[in-house]
């Protein structure tokens, strides 16, 4: 007697399968864009809903938005410093919100009920392209922040406190985006895989702890990415006080 | 059993993925720049829809709270000053009342003493007068008695001597 394989529609494993869209001679991962549009749509809907009628006595969604705003402001102010944090608040906040909603959306939205011809929907942050894109944006912004604030004096940072630091600081410029992108990508992908494998093996109850852990990791990863991005920018705009 | 097999196949597929010409975990392509553009656009949209209005609302409120707090503090100080002023006035009024009462008491005391002294003096005068009247009447009566006694004595003498 051959046991029937228990294959539920939400418990299939596909790794590295992409839904390719051809744009001219460029190829993009369609499933990443589809899920990111859903995520961006949700984010914008929340924001529009909450900020439609701003009042001095906040009510409803405005409370949530103000809480998020102050949370992000405190994060940015702590990492970047009082002087420059205002310019970078939207960028840090967008990174945090986008990654957070992507991660939680990947864990909470039942993507698997949507059949794609190839690949499957999931958290956009489980695709290396998304995380590398954001990590490179962070690199660009901290260079821009440093150069626009200090001009060429920014490069003094590379030889401080001693010129011996020069090679390490140059290597750091490469390792920063690398670690940022791979940390996020690895955590989210691993979480999705663990949940998928557990759901594949035992589709009831057993995956739940892993799912909760995944939600926790997702939130932490969003916070880490935003905090590190702010920290890098803060390092670049930091003025030596002497 | 079958599910384990399927899992193994999946794992094998994962391992083999990078070798495949299509797909794979580390498949970097035009998704990257387009996603970057998307994130930058999202930053601008969120800045316009979220960060600026909400920031303005929060900071307006913070300013409002700060000014209200300062105003309240000022008002409290004013009220405290007023209260101190009033209690000072109250204290002065009490003092004035106290001294008034004292004065009145002294006044009444003095009046009482004067009245008492006057009454005593009058009583003494009346008594003195009464005594002198009594004395005069007594003397008069004594004189009359003596006169009478003299008359009687003479009468006795007159009656006895002729005999």
């Amino acid at each position: 007697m051959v046991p029937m394989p228990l294959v539920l529609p939400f418990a299939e494993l596909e790794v590295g399968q992409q839904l390719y869209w051809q744009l001219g001679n460029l190829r993009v991962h369609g499933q990443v864009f589809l899920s990111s549009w859903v995520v961006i749509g949700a984010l914008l809907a929340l924001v529009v809903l909450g900020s439609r009628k701003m009042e001095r006595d906040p009510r409803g969604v405005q409370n949530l938005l103000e809480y998020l705003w102050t949370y992000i402001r405190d994060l940015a102010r702590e990492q970047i410093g009082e002087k420059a944090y205002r310019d970078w608040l939207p960028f840090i906040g967008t990174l945090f919100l986008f990654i957070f909603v992507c991660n939680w959306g990947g864990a909470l939205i039942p993507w698997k009920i949507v059949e794609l011809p190839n690949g499957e929907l999931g958290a956009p942050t489980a695709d290396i392209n998304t995380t590398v894109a954001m990590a490179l944006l962070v690199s660009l912004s901290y260079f821009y922040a440093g150069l626009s604030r200090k001009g060429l004096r920014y490069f003094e940072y590379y030889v401080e406190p001693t010129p011996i630091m020069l090679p390490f600081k140059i290597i750091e410029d490469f390792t920063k985006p690398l670690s940022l992108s791979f940390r996020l990508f690895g955590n989210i992908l691993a979480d999705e895989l663990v949940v998928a494998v557990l759901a594949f093996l035992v589709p009831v109850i057993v995956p739940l702890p892993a799912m909760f852990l995944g939600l926790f990791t997702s939130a932490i990863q969003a916070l880490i990415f935003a905090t590190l991005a702010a920290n890098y920018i803060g390092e670049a705009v930091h003025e030596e006080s002497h | 059993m079958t599910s384990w097999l399927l899992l193994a196949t999946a794992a094998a597929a994962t391992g083999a993925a990078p070798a495949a010409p299509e797909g794979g975990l580390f498949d970097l392509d035009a998704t990257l720049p387009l996603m970057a553009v998307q994130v930058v656009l999202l930053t601008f949209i969120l800045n316009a829809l979220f960060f600026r209005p909400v920031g303005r609302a929060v900071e307006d409120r913070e300013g409002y709270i700060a000014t209200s707090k300062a105003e309240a503090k000022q008002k409290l100080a004013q009220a405290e000053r007023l209260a101190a002023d009033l209690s000072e006035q109250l204290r002065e009024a009490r003092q004035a009342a106290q001294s008034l009462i004292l004065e009145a008491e002294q006044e009444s005391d003095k009046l009482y003493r004067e009245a008492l002294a006057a009454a005593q003096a009058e009583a003494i005068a009346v008594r003195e007068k009464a005594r002198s009247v009594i004395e005069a009447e007594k003397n008069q009566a004594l004189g009359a008695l003596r006169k009478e006694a003299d008359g009687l004595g003479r009468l006795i003498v007159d009656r006895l001597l002729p005999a």
Side-chain angles (χ1 to χ4, degrees):
Chain A
M1 195 177 94
V2 181
M4 283 298 290
L6 188 65
V7 178
L8 295 172
F10 52 82
E12 281 176 62
L13 269 180
E14 284 181 7
V15 176
Q17 296 286 308
Q18 319 286 0
L19 171 71
Y20 284 108
W21 287 349
Q22 198 77 33
L23 299 176
N25 53 359
L26 299 174
R27 286 205 311 180
V28 298
H29 297 174
Q31 85 278 14
V32 178
F33 279 103
L34 282 177
S35 50
S36 76
W37 291 338
V38 172
V39 162
I40 291 173
L43 199 56
L44 288 183
L46 176 79
V47 163
V48 168
L49 199 72
S51 65
R52 206 175 29 189
K53 210 163 127 254
M54 301 295 288
E55 289 172 52
R56 205 174 62 197
D57 301 337
R59 60 179 60 178
V61 190
Q62 195 191 333
N63 282 309
L64 176 66
L65 290 190
E66 288 190 2
Y67 171 73
L68 286 175
W69 190 85
T70 43
Y71 184 75
I72 294 164
R73 183 207 35 197
D74 292 347
L75 192 155
R77 191 161 57 184
E78 200 168 297
Q79 299 295 334
I80 301 179
E82 196 65 52
K83 266 187 259 168
Y85 83 94
R86 241 156 225 295
D87 304 336
W88 296 102
L89 179 63
F91 181 59
I92 302 298
T94 306
L95 283 180
F96 176 73
L97 290 178
F98 181 63
I99 295 171
F100 183 79
V101 179
C102 277
N103 294 350
W104 273 45
L108 294 177
I109 301 175
W111 297 106
K112 301 285 158 26
I113 57 178
V114 181
E115 275 299 331
L116 291 180
N118 196 14
E120 55 187 16
L121 291 172
T125 39
D127 189 281
I128 188 95
N129 288 288
T130 314
T131 61
V132 171
M134 286 187 290
L136 288 179
L137 282 179
V138 170
S139 290
L140 285 180
S141 33
Y142 79 70
F143 270 112
Y144 173 74
L147 287 173
S148 68
R149 190 155 274 264
K150 301 202 221 162
L152 287 177
R153 277 205 311 110
Y154 166 64
F155 293 106
E156 286 175 4
Y157 160 75
Y158 284 87
V159 290
E160 270 168 8
T162 71
I164 301 167
M165 293 302 285
L166 183 65
F168 301 104
K169 296 236 170 162
I170 290 172
I171 289 169
E172 236 182 20
D173 279 334
F174 293 96
T175 55
K176 275 173 181 173
L178 203 67
S179 67
L180 266 187
S181 55
F182 273 76
R183 182 185 306 113
L184 182 59
F185 163 71
N187 270 290
I188 302 309
L189 184 74
D191 168 49
E192 283 198 347
L193 281 183
V194 166
V195 170
V197 167
L198 282 178
F200 181 75
L201 293 176
V202 193
V204 283
I205 299 179
V206 177
L208 274 179
M211 286 174 172
F212 280 117
L213 189 68
L215 285 183
F216 180 67
T217 324
S218 301
I220 293 288
Q221 286 309 317
L223 180 62
I224 288 177
F225 198 101
T227 309
L228 282 178
N231 186 37
Y232 295 159
I233 293 171
E235 231 170 44
V237 300
H238 177 67
E239 296 278 359
E240 285 295 335
S241 50
H242 53 74
Chain B
M1 200 59 209
T2 320
S3 51
W4 279 108
L5 280 175
L6 280 172
L7 183 64
T9 350
T14 318
E22 299 238 321
L25 277 178
F26 301 100
D27 183 25
L28 292 169
D29 57 13
T31 314
L32 195 159
L34 285 177
M35 188 53 87
V37 169
Q38 204 168 271
V39 172
V40 171
L41 282 181
L42 184 66
T43 304
F44 282 105
I45 294 171
L46 280 185
N47 187 31
L49 288 181
F50 173 45
F51 292 104
R52 238 176 310 149
V54 174
R56 199 173 327 119
V58 171
E59 277 168 353
D60 280 357
R61 182 175 319 110
E62 279 170 358
Y64 168 73
I65 286 171
T67 51
S68 318
K69 217 167 149 186
E71 261 173 38
K73 227 175 228 169
Q74 213 175 346
K75 275 185 183 159
L76 185 68
Q78 207 174 346
E80 267 167 3
R81 224 174 25 243
L82 261 174
D85 219 28
L86 284 176
S87 71
E88 178 69 18
Q89 276 183 22
L90 192 65
R91 209 170 54 78
E92 275 169 16
R94 272 218 184 101
Q95 237 165 18
Q98 205 63 40
S99 64
L100 264 178
I101 287 169
L102 207 70
E103 218 169 279
E105 266 175 359
Q106 280 169 351
E107 186 87 357
S108 71
D109 202 43
K110 207 175 82 188
L111 282 175
Y112 166 74
R113 270 166 218 274
E114 277 172 8
L116 192 66
Q120 270 172 349
E122 204 184 320
I124 288 168
V126 165
R127 210 169 59 194
E128 239 13 74
K129 213 165 105 190
R131 211 172 49 207
S132 64
V133 168
I134 287 168
E135 196 76 17
E137 273 177 15
K138 201 172 85 186
N139 288 342
Q140 216 178 344
L142 275 177
L145 269 176
R146 202 167 281 148
K147 222 186 277 173
E148 204 140 322
D150 281 351
L152 278 175
R154 211 167 290 133
L155 202 61
I156 292 167
V157 168
D158 284 344
R159 281 236 188 124
L160 289 177
L161 284 181

